[in-house]
Amino acid sequence: MDAKTPAVPAALPVAPPVLVLAGPVPREDVRGLCGDVGRLLAASRARVVVCDVGGLGPPGLGAVELLARLRLAALRAGGGICLRDPDPALLGLLDLVGLPFEVERQPEQREPPARVQEAVEPGDPPL
């Protein structure tokens, strides 16, 4: 880089917007939540909306339908949905009906990369 070339700042990662879904969501609120997903994607530079489903309540077909509609709204807006804190039974239902969702991983849930030794003991053979 010479004196005439301006420094270009690196693009900072954009934190995705979060939509918190609490309690059983009445059917009449679904359309408004779908609009919220579209607005959140349009207002941010993120390509995904994180749906916090930890407080959604017992998993059932109502929750599956809600998430399917939110996913469709996000796809129409050019983005996607990522689930935060889903119940394992809800993930099972989504898998059963063929709706794949990305799940947000918490830092403490990360697994170490494969074939990485954390400590070396004297006399250990090299890999």
Side-chain angles (χ1 to χ4, degrees):
M1 184 160 75
D2 61 8
K4 293 181 182 180
T5 307
V8 178
L12 297 175
V14 177
V18 177
L19 179 65
V20 178
L21 301 172
V25 176
R27 212 174 162 92
E28 56 270 5
D29 292 351
V30 172
R31 179 174 280 166
L33 289 170
C34 289
D36 291 345
V37 166
R39 284 187 289 281
L40 287 170
L41 285 169
S44 73
R45 293 188 338 214
R47 298 306 336 142
V48 67
V49 172
V50 174
C51 286
D52 188 334
V53 295
L56 196 54
L61 293 179
V64 170
E65 181 184 3
L66 169 66
L67 292 173
R69 290 176 181 266
L70 293 177
R71 182 172 180 255
L72 181 60
L75 288 172
R76 286 178 176 163
I81 296 285
C82 177
L83 301 181
R84 176 182 288 169
D85 196 24
D87 185 299
L90 177 60
L91 290 177
L93 278 174
L94 292 169
D95 187 48
L96 183 67
V97 299
L99 287 172
F101 277 90
E102 183 179 336
V103 176
E104 182 182 63
R105 297 197 65 168
Q106 301 299 325
E108 65 272 6
Q109 292 176 333
R110 280 193 251 170
E111 297 176 8
R115 300 186 52 89
V116 173
Q117 278 186 305
E118 297 199 10
V120 178
E121 298 292 328
D124 278 353
L127 292 176

